[in-house]
Amino acid sequence: MTMVKIQIDGKQYEVKQGKNLLEAGLTLGIDIPHFCYHPAMGSVGACRLCAVKKFRDADDKQGRIVMSCLEPVTEGMIIETRDDTSKDFRASVVEGLMTNHPHDCPVCDEGGECHLQDMTVMTGHNYRHFDFKKRTHNNQYLGPFIAHEMNRCIQCYRCVRFYRDYAGGKDLNVFSSHNHVYFGRHEEGTLESEFSGNLVEVCPTGVFTDKTFHKHFTRKWDLSNAPSVCTGCSVGCNIIVSERYGSLRRVMNRYNGAVNGYFICDRGRFGYEFVNDEKRIRTIKIRHKKNDNQEEAENETLISLLKTELSKDKRIIGIGSPRASIESNFALSTLVGKENFYHGISKKEHLLTDTILNFMKQSSIRTPSLKQMEKADAVLVLGEDLVNTAPMVALALRQSTRNKSFETAEKNGIPSWNDAPLRELAQDEKSPLFVITSFKDSLDEIAENSIRESYDGIANLGFAMAGLLDTKAPSPSNLNKEHQNLAEKIATILKNAKNPLIVSGVHSGDERMVQAALNMAKALSSVNKNCMLSMVLPESNSMGLAMMPGKSLDDLASLEEIDTLVVLENDLYRRASEKSVNALFEKSKKVIVLDHLINKTTQRADLLLPAATFVEAEGTLVSHEGRAQRFYKALPDKEPVMESWRWIGEMIQAKEQKQEATWKRFDDLVASLTHELPVFDGLEKHMPDADFRMLNEKVPRQTLRYSGRTSMNAKVAVSETRITLDEDSPLTFSMEGQSEMPPSSLTPFYWTPGWNSVQALYGYLDEPNGSMKGGDPGIRLIEPAENDNTEYFKEMSSTSENHERELQIVPVYQIFGSEELSTKSPALAKRIKDPFIYLNPEDAKAVGVDDDELVHLEIDDNKLEIKVKIENSLPKGVVGMAKNFPEMPFVMLPGYGRFKKINS
Amino acid sequence: MFSILQTIWLTFLHLFHKAETVQYPEEKPYLAPRYRGRIVLTRDSDMNERCVACNLCAAACPVDCISLQATEDESGRRYAEFFRINFSRCIFCGFCEEACPTYAIQLIPDTEMGEYDRQNLVYEKEHLLISGQGKYHNYNFYKQAGVDMGVKGKGEGEMEEKPIDVKSLMP
């Protein structure tokens, strides 16, 4: 990167060429006020706040005002940010905006972390000269997530630029003109975009605020925060979780330049409320005899029971979970022994995840981070409904289609940050994206081709493309002309692209499709070394679990009898058929379950232990990219709720009749984990341990402004109690400590002098939209191998011929509804649709059903009544069925089933 | 010798001076209306709670002795779910009153707060709330703010235009 020399306020600086002046200033730590510029969305010059003075040369004493966000840096540039003209100009801009801004701050949820407040202070505007009335607007109901207060709007257009241009939303727009400009929907209603929650952070004032946060509102300075990782899907977005008065208050985005950047999806942001659920398991419960009720019990009773139930002569089986941390799973595997450790996922999921992990380990193909996905210039999506299974991947691919327009713009001398002319020039010019799925996909609208096929068809296309790219790869013979042409087109484009990317995943549950994707990646890498492959996995720690030895849930069927069954944070009824899970519990003499929320599995427990959720524990999750990231406690312990690994530690202690605890601290557990499984070596080497100190101090979870310390517990006892000690992490439940620039993985909140809003983040980055200072959080555990040792999968014969009279049923995942814990959050629950099946119009006609009518569905042993949604995009003979919805029985998909209309 | 006698003489003379001691509590000293004593929460002219639970008093408090939680009623009006001052910590600096944007929290000329049990110095909202406007009359925050929280409708505030009809084409 070439550097240019510029002079700002009389000082010489070297900055990267190609940046604009605002970016350069913010990188250097010079506070230039601004509203409409956003690092992820570029500049449009709408707000006129970032004005600075530019001088022609050293002799120019007059200078002229320019907008720094639209001014590319050039060699020898002379800039003044503190001269009177530009200062007055900026103050007058804010004064103008404030003429209509209501006197709302005390009741506004943005107050205290408001970009407008920051800018008003920064520009120095403090006296209102305007003596006339303020314009007002009516608000709209925008659904259970976002509150709307239009009076506060300052017309920076950030919301529509994010919602429409960046995230591809359709139902938020700008209406009217001049000072009547209105940002909202064409009529009241729920915001449809899966990324609507980011409006809260994008909006520089309080027009869009978090409704779930409003219910238990706390000022930003009063929150006690911890760095955390989202458990909503396998992407592993970084989040900040915040506590006050013992409950979880909100989730905000935590910047990770390699993963989620500035944004997270709505499942991650609003799916947190289950932590505060009244139905949380908060006591130890014991069922003394079969068929008795579970009763609350004391810890002593439990320990004596554990001693007998876990004695050494007993056969103990442990079932882990892809939504529990690696550490908890490892603790369980230590308790029961490797040979008795089961992953707690179905055989098919186990097989597919394993296949992918082995491929990733042995192949020389890179699994990209989200940031690298954004840089891809040709993308193929094979059979994965990304916006519902890994929403942030879909958002990254949306950005990847813009790469071609960046190229064109560069040829025409438009830098990539100059958003408005760039989009004007690009029009519909997009980098190629191919979406091959079974039903409609949110990426269709930006895809060059979207192809609807049955699972067999998708796999065939994948195999065919692999065959075209590399003659050694097996190729199907019976491809029709149309598909053959298509395969050729896609293969050629991917082959010639600079950074081609293939995205697929295991949500289809189809082995052939996964193999086709892997074959294709291998074939593509043989002709294009830069090719990338991203395989989406089902849950937050699916990858971490796969990296541990263990068997699948179905393997338990062969066991005759189990003395004690330990289930870790896993609702087995969501993983296997009711019959088989019942059978498993019946052959287990004692069942110990650790979990957060009551579900069907916890109801079968003889010993039910209250396990801490991800905000009450620390642990590590491995994302589908192979990136290990640690989450930390935000909520102090509330006895008897304990981290799962601590419970299991107690079990081991009881089992081995030891005096001292198995693992005194979290680090002891990590040490034995890395000792036992060297694949996790990086965790001990690169993650700060509990003894990590900055200038001899811990990192505080609370801000310096944290209020109410001597009063919040005064109702219970007027003498202040000692703060909760945290021996497991380098963070402390206090405002005291060293809060200045902790390592990126330990940053609990963002604050820099003058910046109280989320924009304080500038101080933590090496440049806007760049990496965190000192490197982005997380460690990649799987790097591409130097030599490719993978082999092509042989073409499997498809299974569809055997099911002539039945329809193939494929899973349909939904962002709201398919993930277990988030569905227990009240706001998010309002967005969950009724269970449904997608039916092709022709198939619907054959059964004689219409939209929204109920049908009888028979699949395997299940008989369901379910609502029909006519879906034109489905190929004939394929039926989509809502997967993993609450209250729905487990159905192994894809499968084959038949329908009957219910005659009313 | 002389200085000792002089001192005794001066002390003797004091017998005939007017006593400085005030017979407190029978006799009370004058405390100015703006004296910083006990903290109260006041009501507006409609006898509704003035406190909008903005947390600024708590943030301003140098000894962190104020804690509260915001909540709202059916009409959306924001108020404090609980409001607690730990007077055993309070230093009566008056920063909370200065920070308060709604004149809700006020310090009054009352200093008689002695307690035998320290726990009794923890005041909850029911102890703090008085049925009057305190020092500052006729201010109702919700009439000045832009929000509609059940006190006035959108555009009905003192310095507000009527809400804009977005669909109108008029300039």
Side-chain angles (χ1 to χ4, degrees):
Chain A
M1 180 67 74
T2 39
M3 306 294 273
V4 290
K5 285 199 185 77
I6 60 169
Q7 179 185 324
I8 305 178
D9 298 336
K11 272 193 200 160
Q12 296 291 334
Y13 296 100
E14 270 204 348
V15 295
K16 277 187 192 169
Q17 195 174 24
K19 298 276 166 192
N20 63 51
L21 197 51
L22 180 59
E23 284 175 319
L26 294 169
T27 310
L28 297 168
I30 298 164
D31 292 345
I32 303 174
H34 63 274
F35 279 121
C36 65
Y37 165 78
H38 188 287
M41 296 184 280
S43 323
V44 285
C47 72
R48 319 313 284 174
L49 187 62
C50 63
V52 294
K53 204 174 223 184
K54 182 183 171 185
F55 297 89
R56 203 179 331 108
D57 48 44
D59 301 328
D60 182 9
K61 297 284 174 265
Q62 185 79 28
R64 64 190 177 93
I65 296 244
V66 294
M67 295 306 132
S68 63
C69 73
L70 291 176
E71 199 68 20
V73 289
T74 49
E75 182 70 38
M77 201 175 202
I78 303 171
I79 297 295
E80 200 60 54
T81 66
R82 287 181 247 163
D83 68 295
D84 289 341
T85 345
S86 63
K87 259 161 77 180
D88 290 349
F89 184 91
R90 294 195 299 255
S92 70
V93 170
V94 169
E95 181 165 6
L97 294 174
M98 294 299 281
T99 55
N100 285 325
H101 195 74
H103 181 53
D104 269 1
C105 300
V107 290
C108 173
D109 288 356
E110 193 86 355
E113 51 180 326
C114 175
H115 193 47
L116 179 61
Q117 283 180 339
D118 284 354
M119 291 306 109
T120 309
V121 175
M122 203 177 274
T123 54
H125 162 67
N126 55 18
Y127 187 82
R128 183 183 173 89
H129 297 95
F130 184 76
D131 211 16
F132 302 95
K133 291 184 170 179
K134 293 176 180 180
R135 68 107 178 82
T136 59
H137 278 297
N138 287 321
N139 302 328
Q140 286 180 330
Y141 169 80
L142 296 178
F145 296 155
I146 305 286
H148 193 217
E149 185 59 53
M150 241 329 271
N151 281 356
R152 298 171 186 157
C153 181
I154 56 160
Q155 304 89 34
C156 71
Y157 285 70
R158 263 190 182 186
C159 53
V160 283
R161 287 179 60 220
F162 169 77
Y163 197 90
R164 301 181 68 86
D165 297 352
Y166 193 91
K170 300 279 173 294
D171 57 330
L172 182 86
N173 214 336
V174 48
F175 303 92
S176 205
S177 59
H178 57 98
N179 70 344
H180 290 185
V181 164
Y182 187 88
F183 297 86
R185 281 172 54 93
H186 68 292
E187 59 181 13
E188 289 207 335
T190 305
L191 284 174
E192 284 157 11
S193 169
E194 293 81 5
F195 306 98
S196 65
N198 294 304
L199 291 176
V200 176
E201 286 182 58
V202 165
C203 176
T205 78
V207 177
F208 300 100
T209 48
D210 184 338
K211 251 189 196 169
T212 65
F213 184 39
H214 183 78
K215 280 187 222 144
H216 42 216
F217 179 70
T218 310
R219 294 279 173 213
K220 185 192 185 184
W221 62 72
D222 281 342
L223 292 166
S224 175
N225 314 283
S228 191
V229 180
C230 180
T231 55
C233 74
S234 67
V235 176
C237 295
N238 291 200
I239 51 173
I240 291 173
V241 287
S242 308
E243 174 264 4
R244 177 80 175 174
Y245 302 135
S247 71
L248 182 61
R249 294 299 164 106
R250 73 163 172 193
V251 167
M252 289 280 270
N253 172 63
R254 179 162 67 98
Y255 189 88
N256 185 333
V259 187
N260 48 317
Y262 288 90
F263 308 115
I264 52 173
C265 74
D266 286 0
R267 187 199 275 177
R269 189 183 299 268
F270 302 111
Y272 69 90
E273 289 176 296
F274 73 91
V275 174
N276 302 331
D277 199 307
E278 281 172 17
K279 282 181 258 150
R280 272 283 299 280
I281 303 164
R282 292 201 188 273
T283 51
I284 303 165
K285 286 193 174 159
I286 295 178
R287 190 199 316 274
H288 291 283
K289 272 188 228 132
K290 281 258 178 233
N291 306 326
D292 274 6
N293 284 333
Q294 293 171 339
E295 284 168 19
E296 275 184 32
E298 292 296 311
N299 205 26
E300 291 75 41
T301 334
L302 174 78
I303 300 288
S304 61
L305 249 174
L306 285 178
K307 278 182 184 159
T308 50
E309 295 311 330
L310 295 167
S311 63
K312 281 188 179 154
D313 51 325
K314 297 221 166 163
R315 172 118 208 232
I316 314 166
I317 298 291
I319 300 181
S321 164
R323 66 168 156 94
S325 66
I326 326 174
E327 287 84 358
S328 297
N329 277 304
F330 170 73
L332 182 61
S333 143
T334 314
L335 169 74
V336 297
K338 264 182 213 160
E339 62 291 347
N340 293 324
F341 180 64
Y342 292 78
H343 279 178
I345 49 177
S346 67
K347 190 169 190 169
K348 193 185 269 169
E349 193 182 317
H350 192 261
L351 172 83
L352 296 180
T353 321
D354 246 16
T355 313
I356 291 167
L357 177 63
N358 284 335
F359 186 88
M360 277 169 70
K361 275 191 204 154
Q362 288 169 10
S363 95
S364 55
I365 304 169
R366 189 174 166 85
T367 50
S369 63
L370 283 186
K371 188 67 144 204
Q372 285 164 325
M373 289 192 205
E374 284 179 10
K375 295 277 174 299
D377 57 348
V379 184
L380 169 69
V381 179
L382 212 59
E384 192 77 19
D385 179 16
L386 288 169
V387 84
N388 287 310
T389 59
M392 286 302 290
V393 175
L395 192 63
L397 296 191
R398 216 166 246 288
Q399 310 319 312
S400 81
T401 59
R402 296 192 63 210
N403 283 324
K404 195 168 182 192
S405 65
F406 292 146
E407 264 175 43
T408 321
E410 206 182 330
K411 274 180 215 147
N412 289 284
I414 299 171
S416 59
W417 44 259
N418 205 348
D419 204 49
L422 197 148
R423 285 184 192 271
E424 197 65 37
L425 177 74
Q427 296 293 329
D428 285 332
E429 188 181 31
K430 288 190 176 70
S431 299
L433 165 69
F434 301 96
V435 183
I436 312 182
T437 51
S438 289
F439 45 87
K440 65 173 177 188
D441 193 290
S442 78
L443 293 174
D444 287 347
E445 63 193 27
I446 47 164
E448 178 150 332
N449 286 90
S450 16
I451 300 110
R452 297 289 100 91
E453 259 303 331
S454 66
Y455 277 12
D456 277 333
I458 298 172
N460 280 342
L461 263 171
F463 277 117
M465 285 183 275
L468 286 167
L469 288 163
D470 185 359
T471 43
K472 277 179 249 155
S475 182
S477 47
N478 52 349
L479 217 60
N480 65 32
K481 187 84 184 139
E482 192 191 342
H483 279 176
Q484 187 67 33
N485 289 343
L486 201 65
E488 273 168 29
K489 177 184 172 191
I490 300 174
T492 323
I493 288 177
L494 289 178
K495 192 172 153 185
N496 297 330
K498 269 188 236 140
N499 297 304
L501 167 66
I502 296 167
V503 184
S504 185
V506 305
H507 286 86
S508 60
D510 190 67
E511 198 181 350
R512 264 189 96 226
M513 189 138 66
V514 171
Q515 292 183 346
L518 298 181
N519 264 11
M520 227 205 119
K522 183 171 159 61
L524 183 57
S525 77
S526 70
V527 288
N528 190 336
K529 286 282 160 248
N530 292 331
C531 103
M532 302 181 280
L533 169 73
S534 188
M535 299 297 281
V536 175
L537 298 181
E539 272 165 82
S540 55
N541 201 24
S542 290
M543 182 56 91
L545 194 60
M547 291 162 87
M548 272 181 220
K551 286 167 267 186
S552 80
L553 205 53
D554 300 40
D555 296 332
L556 275 167
S558 58
L559 294 182
E560 291 276 297
E561 210 180 46
I562 299 165
D563 287 325
T564 310
L565 180 72
V566 188
V567 184
L568 168 72
E569 302 179 22
N570 200 339
D571 183 5
L572 302 181
Y573 287 95
R574 286 174 65 93
R575 314 261 180 203
S577 69
E578 187 155 358
K579 215 169 81 185
S580 66
V581 180
N582 282 342
L584 173 65
F585 284 130
E586 264 142 41
K587 69 183 172 190
S588 312
K589 281 185 199 149
K590 279 278 172 198
V591 179
I592 306 178
V593 179
L594 300 102
D595 215 334
H596 336 297
L597 291 165
I598 291 171
N599 55 40
K600 275 173 99 180
T601 302
T602 62
Q603 283 162 5
R604 298 297 300 255
D606 299 313
L607 271 73
L608 180 58
L609 309 182
T613 58
F614 75 108
V615 286
E616 294 150 333
E618 48 291 300
T620 316
L621 302 174
V622 186
S623 73
H624 72 96
E625 182 201 343
R627 183 182 293 268
Q629 302 181 104
R630 186 158 292 167
F631 55 87
Y632 294 93
K633 255 182 220 183
L635 268 60
D637 306 324
K638 257 191 221 157
E639 289 208 335
V641 181
M642 275 207 293
E643 299 95 326
S644 294
W645 62 266
R646 229 182 262 277
W647 278 120
I648 297 168
E650 282 203 359
M651 289 183 203
I652 298 176
Q653 199 183 337
K655 181 187 178 190
E656 293 174 0
Q657 313 274 352
K658 282 193 297 187
Q659 284 306 313
E660 75 271 27
T662 323
W663 302 290
K664 282 202 188 84
R665 303 196 308 174
F666 182 68
D667 289 335
D668 302 337
L669 171 61
V670 176
S672 53
L673 165 72
T674 47
H675 177 76
E676 206 63 36
L677 298 166
V679 64
F680 295 114
D681 259 354
L683 299 191
E684 211 184 2
K685 276 189 200 138
H686 301 298
M687 285 192 180
D689 60 16
D691 294 324
F692 173 86
R693 294 288 181 278
M694 291 175 64
L695 300 176
N696 240 344
E697 290 195 89
K698 284 190 150 202
V699 180
R701 286 179 168 89
Q702 298 161 3
T703 65
L704 277 172
R705 279 266 180 276
Y706 194 78
S707 79
R709 233 171 0 115
T710 64
S711 167
M712 51 208 290
N713 298 317
K715 194 180 182 183
V716 188
V718 69
S719 50
E720 285 111 50
T721 44
R722 196 178 174 189
I723 57 158
T724 317
L725 293 181
D726 185 2
E727 294 192 333
D728 299 316
S729 82
L731 298 160
T732 160
F733 289 104
S734 160
M735 55 203 274
E736 288 168 22
Q738 182 50 250
S739 63
E740 207 175 309
M741 293 298 145
S744 61
S745 61
L746 284 180
T747 310
F749 56 86
Y750 303 118
W751 184 84
T752 47
W755 301 82
N756 300 297
S757 68
V758 284
Q759 269 76 6
L761 183 59
Y762 291 127
Y764 291 76
L765 303 181
D766 58 10
E767 63 177 347
N769 211 11
S771 303
M772 295 282 285
K773 280 179 182 160
D776 285 316
I779 302 145
R780 279 173 61 98
L781 295 179
I782 309 165
E783 288 297 341
E786 257 171 51
N787 300 312
D788 201 307
N789 293 321
T790 51
E791 284 188 17
Y792 283 115
F793 296 95
K794 295 222 170 62
E795 246 269 84
M796 291 202 316
S797 61
S798 75
T799 47
S800 57
E801 291 113 38
N802 315 333
H803 297 273
E804 267 182 15
R805 281 186 303 139
E806 294 183 322
L807 298 169
Q808 188 183 27
I809 302 178
V810 301
V812 179
Y813 286 82
Q814 293 285 290
I815 181 170
F816 307 122
S818 291
E819 197 273 330
E820 183 184 350
L821 296 174
S822 63
T823 56
K824 303 289 195 305
S825 304
L828 195 139
K830 285 186 194 149
R831 294 288 305 272
I832 302 176
K833 294 177 195 152
D834 291 334
F836 60 86
I837 53 168
Y838 284 156
L839 217 52
N840 173 294
E842 280 180 51
D843 291 328
K845 213 172 179 185
V847 199
V849 284
D850 229 336
D851 219 9
D852 283 338
E853 282 186 338
L854 288 172
V855 285
H856 263 304
L857 165 62
E858 266 180 55
I859 175 164
D860 301 336
D861 299 337
N862 295 294
K863 287 179 185 150
L864 305 171
E865 273 185 23
I866 197 162
K867 205 193 260 179
V868 169
K869 291 241 175 273
I870 306 285
E871 180 52 58
N872 293 321
S873 61
L874 272 174
K876 196 168 172 290
V878 181
V879 177
M881 177 171 157
K883 173 81 174 158
N884 281 352
F885 268 42
E887 314 298 323
M888 255 177 96
F890 174 84
V891 179
M892 182 54 95
L893 294 177
Y896 291 87
R898 46 181 101 217
F899 299 90
K900 226 169 46 202
K901 188 185 174 183
I902 298 179
N903 296 316
S904 49
Chain B
M1 187 63 197
F2 173 72
S3 79
I4 293 172
L5 288 172
Q6 192 186 24
T7 321
I8 292 170
W9 174 243
L10 274 175
T11 314
F12 175 75
L13 281 183
H14 271 289
L15 284 174
F16 307 101
H17 281 208
K18 197 178 163 228
E20 291 285 348
T21 314
V22 179
Q23 288 304 312
Y24 182 83
E26 285 78 20
E27 218 177 303
K28 308 232 158 142
Y30 170 73
L31 295 180
R34 289 195 299 172
Y35 190 90
R36 298 199 307 267
R38 180 161 62 91
I39 298 170
V40 292
L41 289 175
T42 60
R43 294 174 188 272
D44 58 31
S45 45
D46 304 328
M47 283 302 123
N48 289 317
E49 284 173 34
R50 263 182 180 156
C51 175
V52 300
C54 73
N55 273 289
L56 287 182
C57 50
C61 182
V63 288
D64 286 346
C65 74
I66 306 177
S67 64
L68 66 151
Q69 172 61 51
T71 187
E72 61 182 21
D73 65 11
E74 318 78 64
S75 57
R77 184 192 174 102
R78 193 132 105 176
Y79 68 100
E81 188 178 7
F82 75 83
F83 195 107
R84 185 180 305 135
I85 299 181
N86 178 358
F87 277 110
S88 76
R89 282 282 180 186
C90 179
I91 57 168
F92 301 96
C93 64
F95 283 8
C96 48
E97 181 174 3
E98 257 178 65
C100 184
T102 68
Y103 290 138
I105 196 164
Q106 296 182 15
L107 277 74
I108 58 166
D110 169 26
T111 56
E112 294 169 334
M113 301 178 70
E115 292 284 352
Y116 287 106
D117 184 357
R118 197 145 77 94
Q119 188 66 47
N120 293 341
L121 284 168
V122 178
Y123 281 40
E124 296 292 331
K125 197 165 97 178
E126 63 263 33
H127 310 127
L128 295 165
L129 203 60
I130 61 165
S131 2
Q133 302 187 48
K135 288 178 271 186
Y136 312 103
H137 287 247
N138 298 326
Y139 182 75
N140 188 341
F141 169 78
Y142 284 114
K143 287 187 181 155
Q144 308 292 325
V147 287
D148 170 11
M149 289 189 170
V151 177
K152 57 132 188 96
K154 269 289 169 76
E156 290 169 10
E158 283 164 27
M159 282 299 277
E160 284 185 335
E161 304 268 15
K162 288 267 159 295
I164 281 160
D165 176 11
V166 176
K167 286 173 184 154
S168 155
L169 291 173
M170 299 303 285

